[in-house]
Amino acid sequence: MEALSILAQLIVAGVLTGLVFALVSVGLTLVYGVMDVVNFAHGEFLMLAMYVAVGLALIGIGPIVGLPLVVIALFLFGIVVYRVFVRRLLAGPPEATVFGTFGLLVLMQGLAQAIFTSDYRSAPNPPFQGTLHLGAFAIPQATLVEGIGAIVLTALLFAFVEFTETGRAMRAVAEDRVAATLMGIDVQRINALAFGIGAACVGAAGSLLLLSNPAYPTVGVQYALTAFVVVALGGFGSIQGALVGAVLIGLLEVLGGFYLSPELKLVPVYLAYLIVVLLRPQGLLGRR
């Protein structure tokens, strides 16, 4: 009976951990789905969002209240990065976007080190710092809020892509950009919107993650690495796949850390990833 109770607690913790990974991954998969671009600076966008949220918290606007402001700031930042930088990379060979976004990663980390130093910075008096007790389950409030935020964000993004005119234009560009151009769709505008929305998603993630994590220059690295595995496992370009892949990885990581050892917690994650890639290279819910 005690073993079952521990397993249930681990499953709850794994699902919530996976939802946090989903928060970071949905923007990455949207950008790839529309533009065929893997944004290696995605983690640094998350780092920037967390610093923006810290700045707002220092003037009295907490991470939850300030979330819409962070989302708008990152959306505008994403539009500018696309117009000034990524659009030019798309005119070159496919490798240009890989090396270009990796260079942006290095630049943003270096600027953060120079401006903010390597010190950890947290929001003063963040909300949701207690633990919610539901029978035998003990759930950190911050993790629960992050998980709910991930579900809401993923649902909104899915509804936007599936049921709006702009979302349908994004799907048309993702399927065949030449045909989309002939149909009168402004591909450059759609690309800019997709990049901006991808950055806005990671802006929401950064604001929510500040509830339980400090901001520092390399904070995005750990989340970005997991996000790449999540997107590959769930299927590049699939929003639902990112959610499914993230929850699966969260479960495997938590169960592996408990039943194997904390040092080996990522072994089941990468084994599952290799099996899926070998049997279904397009990912669990990928279309291509």
Side-chain angles (χ1 to χ4, degrees):
M1 191 65 183
E2 184 181 356
L4 286 177
S5 176
I6 292 173
L7 178 61
Q9 176 73 48
L10 290 173
I11 289 174
V12 171
V15 170
L16 289 174
T17 301
L19 290 175
V20 173
F21 293 152
L23 256 180
V24 183
S25 306
V26 289
L28 185 67
T29 201
L30 175 71
V31 170
Y32 181 84
V34 175
M35 300 169 55
D36 278 352
V37 169
V38 178
N39 179 16
F40 282 91
H42 190 72
E44 280 50 53
F45 283 31
L46 177 71
M47 174 266 293
L48 176 64
M50 294 181 75
Y51 275 119
V52 173
V54 169
L56 290 172
L58 290 175
I59 59 173
I61 304 175
I64 300 299
V65 178
L67 188 147
L69 298 178
V70 179
V71 167
I72 293 170
L74 264 290
F75 174 76
L76 297 175
F77 178 74
I79 295 286
V80 171
V81 168
Y82 176 78
R83 292 289 187 191
V84 174
F85 186 60
V86 177
R87 185 176 63 174
R88 290 173 171 77
L89 296 177
L90 289 174
E95 297 81 5
T97 58
V98 175
F99 291 107
T101 55
F102 186 80
L104 183 61
L105 175 159
V106 175
L107 174 65
M108 291 181 69
Q109 272 194 21
L111 287 174
Q113 289 276 5
I115 297 172
F116 303 112
T117 73
S118 57
D119 292 344
Y120 285 21
R121 298 172 191 274
S122 302
N125 304 314
F128 305 112
Q129 295 307 296
T131 301
L132 186 65
H133 295 277
L134 296 173
F137 299 110
I139 305 171
Q141 292 178 4
T143 306
L144 183 62
V145 171
E146 291 162 1
I148 293 172
I151 293 174
V152 172
L153 174 67
T154 306
L156 288 175
L157 187 60
F158 178 78
F160 175 79
V161 172
E162 292 293 326
F163 305 119
T164 68
E165 193 68 31
T166 304
R168 283 191 280 273
M170 284 182 177
R171 284 188 282 136
V173 172
E175 289 292 330
D176 190 332
R177 59 183 56 243
V178 174
T181 302
L182 293 175
M183 292 169 61
I185 295 174
D186 186 342
V187 173
Q188 290 298 332
R189 174 178 167 273
I190 294 299
N191 282 348
L193 275 175
F195 209 83
I197 293 171
C201 289
V202 87
S207 200
L208 287 171
L209 286 174
L210 196 63
L211 294 173
S212 58
N213 297 271
Y216 52 96
T218 56
V219 66
V221 174
Q222 57 175 322
Y223 290 104
L225 287 175
T226 304
F228 288 130
V229 176
V230 165
V231 172
L233 185 63
F236 277 100
S238 170
I239 295 170
Q240 313 95 296
L243 182 62
V244 172
V247 171
L248 180 60
I249 283 180
L251 284 169
L252 290 173
E253 184 176 311
V254 170
L255 293 174
F258 184 82
Y259 289 111
L260 297 177
S261 78
E263 292 78 14
L264 298 175
K265 67 180 183 180
L266 292 179
V267 171
V269 172
Y270 293 118
L271 278 177
Y273 169 67
L274 288 175
I275 291 171
V276 171
V277 167
L278 287 173
L279 297 179
R280 190 175 167 80
Q282 69 269 40
L284 292 173
L285 300 182
R287 296 176 181 173
R288 49 183 173 169

